[in-house]
Amino acid sequence: MTLVLEILVSVLSVAGAFCVLSVAVGFFRQRDALSQLNSLGPATAIGLPLVSIAAFLGWILVDGFDWALLVKTVATVCALVLVSSVASNTLGRAIYLAGGRLDPRTAPNDLAEEPERLLGPDDVR
């Protein structure tokens, strides 16, 4: 059982590290700041959770099972997945609204379009 757990820790660690490395290489190949930010998503949503799970399983090998560590790991993985999407969206809007250079081939560009005005109670259709 220990050998299987060691192999699982190794595979998860290497997979997570490879995901982060491939995202880092792709980051420098993007054309604009918005695309660079978009390329960071897989690292925070896939790579880092894999490394966190591998670390948890590694601690189990060394110190045995601990409920507190399990709760911390589950909270960490959930936070990485949830926060990365919200942070990417917020940072992307900030880059765009701050005047960050966008590649002309970027499509669709919903932020460049005027939003439809909502009708108020005094507006007549």
Side-chain angles (χ1 to χ4, degrees):
M1 182 65 180
T2 303
L3 178 63
V4 172
L5 202 52
E6 287 176 357
I7 291 171
L8 185 60
V9 168
S10 301
V11 168
L12 289 174
S13 298
V14 169
F18 179 75
C19 183
V20 172
L21 177 65
S22 64
V23 165
V25 169
F27 177 83
F28 292 108
R29 299 187 67 191
Q30 298 301 323
R31 300 178 304 263
D32 58 21
L34 202 55
S35 297
Q36 286 177 336
L37 175 69
N38 191 35
S39 71
L40 293 177
T44 55
I46 298 170
L48 294 178
L50 287 176
V51 171
S52 297
I53 293 168
F56 168 71
L57 295 175
W59 278 107
I60 287 177
L61 279 171
V62 173
D63 295 334
F65 183 78
D66 182 19
W67 282 102
L69 188 58
L70 175 64
V71 171
K72 290 177 191 178
T73 304
V74 169
T76 300
V77 169
C78 290
L80 283 168
V81 171
L82 294 174
V83 170
S84 71
S85 62
V86 174
S88 294
N89 188 356
T90 303
L91 288 171
R93 289 180 64 84
I95 288 170
Y96 183 81
L97 295 175
R101 183 185 63 81
L102 236 92
D103 189 286
R105 295 176 287 180
T106 301
N109 189 357
D110 294 336
L111 291 175
E113 301 169 6
E114 276 298 315
E116 292 183 25
R117 187 174 166 275
L118 297 175
L119 297 176
D122 298 331
D123 292 331
V124 178
R125 292 182 193 223

